[in-house]
Structures are given as structure tokens and as C-alpha cells.
Amino acid sequence: MLEKPNKLRIALICGAVIGVVSATPGLSLINCCCCAGVWLGGLLAMYLYKKEFTEGMPPLESSDALMLGLMAGVVGAFAAVLVNVLILVTFGPIEAELVRSISGKVLDRMSEQGSLPADMVETLKDQIEASIKDSGRMSNILGGLFITLIVYPIFTILGALLGYSIFRRKMPPQTTVAS
């Protein structure tokens, strides 16, 4: 009987995909929907893993999905932080400027409509500025890594388990002979 395919290569590929999707400005918004990009990374991992199976290999098991999802999630967390840092160093705080622009417009509109008092709007703008200024600090980058090392593996495992339920070989129902 042949051994199962290697999970490391697939985890590295899918982790890189998760990292790029999660860190690319604009594209990262897909994760606003229950970490959909991370779920899809786990699903992709199981799809690619299943494609490497040949006849004579042991069947796909749920433990394969758990391990592959965990590995891809950890790689994805590191990849996301790395891509974020590369974008920050290369292009500057693109997302920070986007957040500053959108939040400023929203807060101004709320002030004009009377939803928020003017002094509260200024306080919120100051807090947003302080948050943006702190976003590039090493402590915040490491804090983001810590959070993603918890969240990404969880959702990638869920995506891989979903992939397992979709891609596993379905066995025909067993019929029993009544005696």
C-alpha cells in the first residue's frame, strides 16, 4: 500500500494564498465575511491534497483535514504578516489612508446629520489617528501575528473539514442480508 501524499507542500501553497488574500488591500475585505478567505484556503488545501491521491493509497481521513488545515492556517498567519509588512515598507500605509479617508467622511456626515456631537467626532478622529500611527509598530505587528496564529488555523481547519466532507470518496451503502 502506498503512503499518503505529503501535506507540507500543499500547506505552504495554500498558506501563501491565504496570506496574500488576507493582506492585500481591498482583497482582504473577503475576510470580513466570517474569515471567508481563510475558509477557502482550507477548502483549497483539501482539494489539492485529494488531487494527489492515486489508487492504492489509504483513503482520505478527517485527521488529514485537521492536520492540513492546521498547517495551512499557521503558514497563512505568517504569510499574511509578512505580506502586510512588505506592503507597508514598499507602499506605505495604504490601508491606513483608506481607513482615514472613509472614517473621516462617515464621521463628518454623522456630524452634519446631528447623529454625533461635533466634539465627539473630533475625539473619534483623534483616536483613529492614534490607532493609525501605532499600526506600523513592531508590537502591533507581533500582536497581529499572535491573533492570526489563533484565528487562521481555526477557520482553515473548518474549511479543510468542509473540503473533506465534499471531496472524500463516498462509499456505497452496505446492504445486509436478512436471515
Side-chain angles (χ1 to χ4, degrees):
M1 188 172 269
L2 300 172
E3 286 187 26
K4 291 184 180 181
N6 187 0
K7 294 178 185 77
L8 181 60
R9 184 177 64 80
I10 292 170
L12 290 173
I13 291 169
C14 293
V17 169
I18 292 168
V20 169
V21 167
S22 298
T24 304
L27 190 56
S28 63
L29 293 175
I30 195 170
N31 282 332
C32 290
C33 181
C34 296
C35 289
V38 182
W39 278 77
L40 291 174
L43 190 69
L44 175 67
M46 282 309 295
Y47 173 75
L48 294 176
Y49 188 64
K50 176 65 177 164
K51 279 183 61 173
E52 291 197 0
F53 273 78
T54 59
E55 287 297 319
M57 288 186 175
L60 186 64
E61 298 172 344
S62 60
S63 62
D64 295 325
L66 289 170
M67 185 55 72
L68 193 57
L70 177 67
M71 292 167 63
V74 169
V75 171
F78 280 105
V81 170
L82 179 66
V83 171
N84 264 331
V85 169
L86 289 174
I87 289 173
L88 185 63
V89 168
T90 306
F91 300 109
I94 295 172
E95 286 182 315
E97 292 300 323
L98 183 64
V99 167
R100 181 182 292 125
S101 172
I102 291 172
S103 64
K105 289 176 184 175
V106 168
L107 289 173
D108 288 341
R109 180 161 295 167
M110 291 177 82
S111 177
E112 289 170 5
Q113 293 176 348
S115 301
L116 285 176
D119 59 331
M120 183 176 270
V121 168
E122 289 307 315
T123 303
L124 288 172
K125 284 183 179 181
D126 291 342
Q127 289 176 347
I128 290 169
E129 278 300 319
S131 176
I132 289 172
K133 199 179 298 180
D134 291 343
S135 66
R137 289 192 172 155
M138 185 57 94
S139 61
N140 286 351
I141 292 170
L142 292 176
L145 175 62
F146 178 74
I147 297 296
T148 56
L149 279 172
I150 294 169
V151 173
Y152 283 18
I154 291 170
F155 285 101
T156 309
I157 287 171
L158 292 173
L161 287 171
L162 177 64
Y164 167 73
S165 68
I166 294 171
F167 302 123
R168 70 182 164 156
R169 190 175 342 160
K170 310 290 191 277
M171 296 297 184
Q174 300 269 333
T175 57
T176 56
V177 178
S179 46

